Amino acid sequence: MQTDIELSEQILRIKEKFSKLKSLDKNLKTFGSRLHKFDLNEPLDLETISAFEEKHQIKLPLEYSIFLQQIGNGGAGPAYGLAKLENSLFADMDYPKEENLVNPALPFPHTEPQFMMTEDEDEDEEFDEDEIDEKWNEPQHNYGVLRLCNLGCGIFTSLIVNGKEYGNMWIDDRSSEAGIYPYCKTNDFSERSGFLDWYETWLDQSTKMLMPRKK
């Protein structure tokens, strides 16, 4: 867990990196930027955040709460941008419906990557497609999360707000039969990323792609 000083330093660093990226990408070449245009929504006050927490029986990770208060309530971010806090409950960000919501008040059930097995991967095992679909559509996969980022094609990045993975970012890629797994900087999933590290990584990678290559 970061100290207050480290958290303040990271927020300041993110603000500076965001300004640099926005200045560099005036032609909106970064993926998804034509949608969010590097605009951030107005920050939220602590009272609004507390009311959301009380209503949904959760406590937001501190670094996400501070982001909401000091940087903005969604807007510019990875892929197609960050959802507003009030819109983070829709299980399917492509088709937001009131009858299809996540349940942040219950613990997120996973602590390790959950990969979907297909028939091609094990020809000796018989597969019942209906059973597989039923398993991967069970409601507990949407417990303990807030949907924050739409990666497109039905793939979403979530912040875990309940359970052992509290504070970490996970990717829900069931739509392309990949599964549910943590967002990590390493391929072996050994290093988790919290909200601010995930956001700052996007800033760093996007800026690097726009910088002129050295000859």
Side-chain angles (χ1 to χ4, degrees), residues 106-112 114 139-145 160 162-165 170 180:
L106 293 175
F108 182 65
H110 308 303
T111 56
E112 297 296 334
Q114 303 295 306
Q140 64 262 30
H141 296 303
N142 291 330
Y143 290 169
V145 307
I160 309 304
N162 204 326
K164 293 182 178 180
E165 285 292 305
W170 278 61
I180 302 172

Side-chain angles (χ1 to χ4, degrees), residues 95-160:
Y95 302 98
K97 298 179 180 179
E98 293 295 337
E99 64 271 19
N100 186 20
L101 303 176
V102 301
N103 188 342
L106 293 175
F108 182 65
H110 308 303
T111 56
E112 297 296 334
Q114 303 295 306
F115 297 121
M116 298 172 72
M117 184 180 293
T118 65
E119 189 170 2
D120 294 336
E121 293 174 338
D122 191 344
E123 296 180 355
D124 294 331
E125 185 175 345
E126 294 185 4
F127 285 79
D128 185 317
E129 291 188 4
D130 290 337
E131 286 186 5
I132 293 173
D133 289 342
E134 184 178 351
K135 171 187 174 182
W136 284 102
N137 286 310
E138 290 174 348
Q140 64 262 30
H141 296 303
N142 291 330
Y143 290 169
V145 307
L146 293 180
R147 289 275 193 263
L148 294 189
C149 182
N150 189 346
L151 302 179
C153 299
I155 307 170
F156 313 116
T157 307
S158 302
L159 173 63
I160 309 304

Side-chain angles (χ1 to χ4, degrees), residues 80-99:
Y80 294 110
L82 289 177
K84 292 182 177 180
L85 177 62
E86 57 268 32
N87 293 335
S88 64
L89 299 172
F90 294 113
D92 188 338
M93 300 179 79
D94 290 320
Y95 302 98
K97 298 179 180 179
E98 293 295 337
E99 64 271 19

